[in-house]
Amino acid sequence: MSYLRERMGKILAFVIGLALFAFIVGEVVKSGGQFMRGSANTIGEVNGQDISNDDYQKRLDQNVKNMQQQSGQAASPQLTAYAQEMTWNQLVSQNILQKEIEKLGIVVGVDETKDMVQGKNLNPQIVQAFGDPKTGEVDRARLNMFLTNLRSAKPGDPMKEQWTAFVEQMIEAKKAEKYTALVRNGLYINSLDAKDDYEARNKLVNFKYTVLDYASIPDSKAVPTDADYSAYYDAHKAQFKNAQETRTFEYVAFNAAASAADSAVIKTQMDKLAGDFKTAKDDSAFVQMNAETKRPLTYTRKGQLEPKLDTVMFSSAVGTVYGPFVSNGSYEIAKLVDTRVGPDSVKASHILLNPATEGGVDKAVAKADSLKKLIQGGKSFAELAKTFSTDKGSAEKGGELGTFGRGAMIPAFEDAAFNGHKGDLVVVTSQFGVHLIQINDQKGSSKVVKVAIVDKPIQASNATQSAAYNKARSFMSNLNGGNFDEVAKKQGLQIKTANDVTAMATSTMGLDNARKVVKWAFDAEKGDFSDQVFDLENQYVVARLTQIKPEGTLPLDVVKPQIEAAVRNEVKAKQLIAKLELASNGASSVDQVAQKVGAQAVPVQNIVFANPVIPGLAAEYKVIGSVFGSGLHKVSKPVQGEHGVFVFSVDNFVNPAPLTNAVREKQQIQQMLVQRADNLIFDALKDKANVKDNRAKFL
C-alpha cells in the first residue's frame, strides 16, 4: 500500500495520459476513416469544393437516359463517353458559376419558376415533352394533369423525385443564364472597332513578291543546335501548355475475329435450321427458340426490310424460306409467313384499363367488353374514355391517338388497328394493359408482308480465340523491358501507336472499347509493358507505355520531336535572310532581287487583311501583316513566313468606300462576339478555378 501511495501520482498521470492518447488516436482513426470514405467517393474538386461520385453517377444516368430517349438508340460506348464528358462539364460549370452567382445575388423566384413550368415562358424541355412536334403548341391539359398527379404523389415516388431534381437543375440553369446575360450585356463594340473590321475586310492591296522556299535548302545543310531548340521553345512556350495529362502507348494486336472456318460452321448450322424452318408449324415459337434477336412478327410495308430481303419477300409465295444470308455480322434466314393488302395509316382512339387495379387481366377484359357493349348501345366513346381510361394523355382528348402508320405502335395494338375495319371496336391485351380500340378511319391501301427472321451472329470459335490468346501470351512472355520492338519484328507483328490519350478516353486509333488499356497506361511508368493480355472484343492486345505528357507547360525534351521541322526552318530562314539581304542591297525593285537569287517576281492582286492567303501558297499572316504596314514602292526587308522567306514591294492600296452604316457593322461584330461569349466566359472562369478531375480512377 505504501508503495502504491508513493507512486499513485505517477500511476494516475500515466493512466490519464494513456486515456487521452487512446481518445486522440480514436478520433484520428475516426476522422481518417471519414477522410478515406470521402476520398473514395470524391470524383473531382473545383475551388476546394468536392464533387461526389454519387452526384456524378446520378446525373450521368439521367443524361444517358435522356440521350437514349432522344436518339432512340441503346447506350453505345460513344454515347456513354459523350454523356460522361457532358455530365462532368455540367458539374464543373455549376460549381464554378455558383460562387459568381452568389456574389452577385442572382436568384430565381417562385413566380419565375412557376412561369417556366406552366406559364408563358415554358422551359424548352417541358415544351418538348408536352408539345406537338408539328405545330409546336403545348398540350396544356396534359401538362396540368401531369402536375396534378405529381402533387398527389406520395413522398419517395420515383417520378416525383425525378421531377424535383429536374426543377432544381432548371433553376440553376436559369441562374447561369442570367449571369451570362449580364456579362454579354457588358460587351461593347465602338465605332473604331467597326471601322477597323470594315477596312480589314474591304481594303485591297496589290503587291509583288519573291520568295526563297525552305525546301530550297537540304535538311542536311540545316542541322539545329541545342541553342536553336531552346530559343524556339522559349519564344513559343505558350503553345506547349497541356490542358490535361496525356499518355502515348504502342501496342500489338492479335486478331481473334471469326475465321473462315468458323463462318462455315455457323452457315452449316443455319442451313439445317432453314430446312426445319420450312416445316415449322408455329413460326413465332420457332423464332423465340432459335433466333439470337427475338423480333416480333409484324406486318411491314415495301421498303422497310433490307433491300435484298425486301425484293424476295414481296415477290414470293407464303411459306418461302430465304437464306442463309449475311446481314450485320450475322447469318439470317427469313420466312414469309403471310401477305395481305392493308391500310397505310389508321386513325384510332382507345380506352386503356390497368389489370392491377381491375383485379387481373380477365376482369379488365370483361370490363372492356362491357364498355364495348355500352358504346354499341349508343354511349359516347369519348365520355367513357375520359371516365375510365388510365392513359391520361389521350383520355383528356376522348381517347384519341391521332393518325399513325405501321411501326408506330406496339405489335399487338398495331395488328388490331390495321387488321380491323373502319368503325370496329376491338379488345386487345398488351404489356401496357387491356385496350378497347375504336378504329375511326383507315387511309391508303398497299401490300404488306409478315416475315419471321432467325439470326445467328458470326462469332469466333473457342479454338480461334484460344489460338489468338496463346500468340499474345507468347509475345508477352518474351518481353524483358527494352526488347518490345525486337520481339515484334522477330514475330512479324505490326506495332501501332495510340498518341496523346487522355485519362477518360474510351477508344483510341485502332482500338474500340479500349478503357482497360487506357486505365493501365495511366497507372504505368514510361517504358513499362502490360503484364496482362487485354481482351478487346475481337482482338487481344499487349501494350507498352512510351510517353507521359504531364498537365501544364511541357518541357523541351517532350516537345522536341514535334518542333523539329519548325526549328529546322528557323535555321534555314537565317541562311535565306542573309542571302536575300545581300541581294536587296542596292536593289530598287523586287524584280532585281528575284533575278539575283534566281527566283521569280510574282504579282498579287486584291488581297484583303482579313483573308491573308497568297494565291498558290497558303495563309501567310506575318507577310500580309507586313504588307499592310508598308509604304508604297519600297523593297521590304526579308520577312520570315510559313512557306519561306519573302521580299515584297507594295504597288498600291485600294481603299473601300467610306463606312456609312457603322451601326450595322457594330451589330454584326457584336453578334459574332455574343455567339462566342458563353464558352469564353466558362473558359476564363475555369482557368482561374482549381479543377481536379479524378474520374479516371472510377470509370
Side-chain angles (χ1 to χ4, degrees):
M1 290 297 294
S2 174
Y3 176 85
L4 288 175
R5 278 196 297 270
E6 290 175 4
R7 292 162 177 77
M8 185 58 70
K10 293 180 180 180
I11 292 171
L12 284 173
F14 174 76
V15 171
I16 293 171
L18 184 63
L20 284 172
F21 176 75
F23 173 76
I24 292 169
V25 169
E27 288 301 305
V28 169
V29 171
K30 181 179 177 182
S31 299
Q34 291 173 344
F35 172 75
M36 291 303 292
R37 285 193 296 273
S39 298
N41 193 42
T42 300
I43 202 166
E45 184 181 304
V46 180
N47 283 328
Q49 183 72 35
D50 288 345
I51 297 177
S52 76
N53 188 38
D54 292 341
D55 290 343
Y56 175 81
Q57 291 295 340
K58 186 176 180 181
R59 183 171 291 197
L60 175 61
D61 291 344
Q62 189 60 48
N63 284 336
V64 170
K65 287 178 184 176
N66 291 341
M67 287 182 180
Q68 286 178 293
Q69 290 174 355
Q70 291 172 6
S71 65
Q73 298 177 354
S76 64
Q78 292 78 13
L79 183 144
T80 302
Y82 179 77
Q84 288 171 346
E85 202 60 29
M86 184 181 78
T87 303
W88 173 251
N89 287 333
Q90 285 175 343
L91 290 169
V92 170
S93 61
Q94 178 180 320
N95 278 270
I96 288 175
L97 288 174
Q98 190 61 39
K99 289 187 177 181
E100 302 298 317
I101 288 169
E102 289 174 357
K103 285 180 190 176
L104 297 172
I106 297 173
V107 297
V108 174
V110 175
D111 291 340
E112 194 173 1
T113 302
K114 187 176 180 181
D115 192 40
M116 289 190 289
V117 171
Q118 59 186 127
K120 294 181 179 179
N121 300 301
L122 292 175
N123 179 276
Q125 287 182 268
I126 293 177
V127 174
Q128 182 180 359
F130 295 93
D132 185 335
K134 296 180 180 178
T135 64
E137 294 294 323
V138 174
D139 188 339
R140 294 279 177 172
R142 191 155 62 96
L143 173 59
N144 291 335
M145 179 61 70
F146 171 76
L147 295 173
T148 299
N149 291 338
L150 275 177
R151 284 191 286 269
S152 61
K154 296 179 180 179
D157 183 280
M159 183 60 71
K160 193 165 189 173
E161 290 181 351
Q162 288 181 18
W163 175 256
T164 301
F166 165 73
V167 172
E168 289 175 355
Q169 290 183 25
M170 181 181 69
I171 291 172
E172 293 303 317
K174 189 66 177 178
K175 290 178 182 177
E177 182 185 323
K178 289 184 176 184
Y179 174 80
T180 53
L182 283 173
V183 178
R184 284 198 300 265
N185 289 338
L187 300 175
Y188 178 71
I189 304 299
N190 60 37
S191 298
L192 290 176
D193 294 326
K195 183 180 178 182
D196 287 345
D197 183 74
Y198 175 75
E199 289 192 354
R201 289 185 292 106
N202 294 280
K203 184 177 180 179
L204 305 176
V205 64
N206 301 315
F207 65 96
K208 185 178 285 188
Y209 75 89
T210 188
V211 60
L212 293 179
D213 297 347
Y214 296 128
S216 64
I217 299 178
D219 288 353
S220 60
K221 300 293 185 181
V223 180
T225 64
D226 290 342
D228 292 325
Y229 278 105
S230 296
Y232 185 90
Y233 175 79
D234 291 338
H236 300 83
K237 190 173 285 188
Q239 298 176 10
F240 309 130
K241 185 176 180 181
N242 207 25
Q244 55 181 313
E245 181 179 333
T246 60
R247 303 210 167 191
T248 296
F249 60 86
E250 295 177 338
Y251 67 92
V252 291
F254 299 84
N255 185 16
S259 65
D262 295 332
S263 179
V265 169
I266 296 169
K267 185 178 183 302
T268 300
Q269 295 172 356
M270 293 298 281
D271 284 332
K272 182 180 182 305
L273 268 181
D276 296 339
F277 206 2
K278 287 180 182 178
T279 57
K281 301 298 182 184
D282 188 336
D283 297 315
S284 180
F286 191 89
V287 169
Q288 293 300 314
M289 288 176 61
N290 297 288
E292 180 75 18
T293 308
K294 317 298 184 185
R295 308 178 200 180
L297 273 62
T298 58
Y299 286 96
T300 57
R301 62 178 183 270
K302 185 74 174 171
Q304 287 186 307
L305 300 171
E306 60 179 283
K308 56 186 174 184
L309 185 59
D310 196 75
T311 301
V312 173
M313 292 294 107
F314 275 87
S315 59
S316 301
V318 171
T320 298
V321 173
Y322 175 68
F325 60 95
V326 177
S327 176
N328 297 320
S330 296
Y331 273 112
E332 293 186 356
I333 49 177
K335 182 177 182 179
L336 182 57
V337 176
D338 190 24
T339 66
R340 64 173 55 194
V341 175
D344 296 322
S345 63
V346 172
K347 183 179 182 182
S349 303
H350 82 144
I351 297 172
L352 178 63
L353 302 177
N354 184 355
T357 58
E358 299 295 340
V361 174
D362 292 343
K363 290 185 178 180
V365 170
K367 186 171 182 178
D369 287 331
S370 299
L371 292 173
K372 177 179 176 180
K373 290 177 182 178
L374 288 174
I375 295 165
Q376 290 171 334
K379 290 289 185 180
S380 167
F381 186 99
E383 291 303 319
L384 291 175
K386 291 177 181 178
T387 304
F388 294 102
S389 182
T390 59
D391 179 6
K392 299 303 180 183
S394 65
E396 289 297 313
K397 295 183 288 186
E400 287 188 12
L401 297 170
T403 301
F404 49 89
R406 290 187 182 274
M409 299 294 184
I410 54 176
F413 193 101
E414 180 177 298
D415 286 345
F418 280 85
N419 294 344
H421 300 88
K422 181 178 178 179
D424 283 357
L425 289 166
V426 186
V427 177
V428 65
T429 302
S430 78
Q431 63 262 44
F432 295 105
V434 175
H435 309 258
L436 173 57
I437 304 170
Q438 183 180 61
I439 303 174
N440 300 322
D441 197 9
Q442 293 177 329
K443 294 182 179 180
S445 180
S446 59
K447 182 179 179 179
V448 291
V449 297
K450 182 181 284 187
V451 179
I453 298 176
V454 174
D455 65 328
K456 188 172 183 63
I458 302 173
Q459 295 177 333
S461 64
N462 289 336
T464 298
Q465 291 180 326
S466 295
Y469 180 76
N470 289 336
K471 288 180 181 178
R473 287 287 302 176
S474 174
F475 172 79
M476 190 176 70
S477 66
N478 286 308
L479 299 178
N480 58 21
N483 66 342
F484 195 92
D485 294 343
E486 179 186 337
V487 176
K489 184 177 181 180
K490 186 176 180 180
Q491 296 188 15
L493 300 170
Q494 181 185 4
I495 297 177
K496 299 179 181 179
T497 303
N499 287 307
D500 297 330
V501 178
T502 61
M504 283 301 297
T506 57
S507 61
T508 68
M509 185 66 71
L511 295 177
D512 293 329
N513 300 323
R515 190 73 199 131
K516 298 175 191 174
V517 190
V518 173
K519 290 189 76 170
W520 164 81
F522 276 81
D523 285 332
E525 298 294 333
K526 183 178 177 180
D528 287 354
F529 59 85
S530 56
D531 57 356
Q532 63 174 303
V533 174
F534 296 107
D535 180 3
L536 305 182
E537 294 186 351
N538 290 326
Q539 57 185 338
Y540 293 105
V541 169
V542 179
R544 175 181 63 173
L545 186 65
T546 56
Q547 188 177 63
I548 299 174
K549 290 184 180 178
E551 181 182 356
T553 302
L554 298 173
L556 174 58
D557 64 307
V558 172
V559 302
K560 197 171 185 179
Q562 73 187 62
I563 66 174
E564 181 180 354
V567 176
R568 182 175 284 109
N569 283 346
E570 292 276 339
V571 176
K572 291 180 179 182
K574 293 176 183 177
Q575 300 177 33
L576 297 174
I577 288 171
K579 188 175 181 179
L580 283 168
E581 283 178 341
L582 183 63
S584 299
N585 189 20
S588 60
S589 69
V590 171
D591 297 87
Q592 292 178 1
V593 176
Q595 187 177 12
K596 289 181 180 180
V597 297
Q600 290 184 326
V602 183
V604 181
Q605 303 290 318
N606 301 328
I607 301 298
V608 295
F609 185 79
N611 185 30
V613 175
I614 297 178
L617 297 179
E620 287 288 357
Y621 297 95
K622 191 181 292 186
V623 176
I624 299 302
S626 300
V627 167
F628 272 89
S630 296
L632 298 175
H633 312 302
K634 294 181 180 179
V635 177
S636 74
K637 292 181 179 180
V639 178
Q640 183 180 340
E642 298 295 320
H643 189 77
V645 178
F646 293 74
V647 169
F648 63 84
S649 175
V650 177
D651 296 327
N652 66 296
F653 293 103
V654 181
N655 292 313
L659 179 60
T660 57
N661 191 354
V663 173
R664 181 181 176 185
E665 193 75 18
K666 287 160 67 174
Q667 288 175 342
Q668 290 176 345
I669 302 172
Q670 180 94 8
Q671 187 176 8
M672 289 188 290
L673 189 59
V674 165
Q675 288 174 350
R676 299 166 51 212
D678 289 358
N679 286 335
L680 292 173
I681 292 167
F682 176 68
D683 289 343
L685 292 174
K686 190 176 179 180
D687 283 343
K688 292 184 176 295
N690 184 18
V691 179
K692 295 180 181 178
D693 185 355
N694 300 323
R695 287 177 296 156
K697 298 178 181 178
F698 293 80
L699 303 174

